[in-house]
Amino acid sequence: SAVISQKPSRDICQRGTSLTIQCQVDSQVTMMFWYRQQPGQSLTLIATANQGSEATYESGFVIDKFPISRPNLTFSTLTVSNMSPEDSSIYLCSVRVGSRDTGELFFGEGSRLTVL
Amino acid sequence: DQQVKQNSPSLSVQEGRISILNCDYTNSMFDYFLWYKKYPAEGPTFLISISSIKDKNEDGRFTVFLNKSAKHLSLHIVPSQPGDSAVYFCAARGYGGATNKLIFGTGTLLAVQP
């Protein structure tokens, strides 16, 4: 298993500002994943963060809007830039423990952002 | 296009009875399926999984059934307990690729009444 801590747990932000979410894992992992859950929606993968290389973004998500850092094997940040009310979501950090084919994802508790 | 669908947004069950949560998928390349449980203000936690080479996997009170021909899976909870009240997400993964990312359904809110 893995213990994942996210900061902040929640925040209220003003339109046009940016917020950085931190994710700390208690063990070294190759890949960290950032998900978003908009109200009433499923969890959607934003990007995969690999240590030492650029993050890989899913369709519909771009680096300018969601820049990601991955300075080491236990830490990552996701920035939500130039926020609008549509960015109000729960943002979740996750890691896979186990093999690529059958390992489960473990999630942090999420960061709930409300953009006014 | 929603590749993983949970058509029931909510389900209410009496304590001690069986809870059945359903999930449908459209992509035949999915070959590994998982169920996650999420309490308010917490991240999703892994519950149980099943590979496409099986049609049933059981873990205590939780059993997942997979019908590949129908592209349907279900989670059975027997007996249901009030502590099982949570949102349940079905997720699917396709084989291959660098990340084998999970595709999640929209979730079903289960309420177990004492």
Side-chain angles (χ1 to χ4, degrees), chain A residues 42 58 96 100-101 103 105 108, chain B residues 32 36 43 93 99-101 105:
Chain A
S42 61
E58 298 298 311
R96 179 178 294 126
R100 176 185 300 172
D101 294 333
L105 283 183
Chain B
Y32 194 67
Y36 282 81
R93 176 186 299 150
T99 60
N100 282 6
K101 67 179 182 181

Side-chain angles (χ1 to χ4, degrees), chain A residues 47-95:
Chain A
T48 302
N50 302 301
Q51 194 270 334
S53 64
E54 292 285 329
T56 302
Y57 288 82
E58 298 298 311
S59 175
F61 298 97
V62 294
I63 187 171
D64 290 346
K65 176 67 176 178
F66 298 101
I68 287 172
S69 78
R70 183 78 202 275
N72 56 54
L73 291 173
T74 63
F75 187 78
S76 178
T77 67
L78 170 76
T79 299
V80 186
S81 304
N82 188 25
M83 286 185 285
S84 67
E86 292 72 33
D87 295 319
S88 297
S89 294
I90 301 173
Y91 292 85
L92 296 142
C93 170
S94 70
V95 302

Side-chain angles (χ1 to χ4, degrees), chain B residues 4 23 32-36 73 89-93 102-105:
Chain B
V4 178
C23 178
Y32 194 67
F33 305 90
L34 307 91
W35 284 93
Y36 282 81
L73 65 156
F89 290 97
C90 167
R93 176 186 299 150
L102 292 184
I103 308 295
F104 285 85

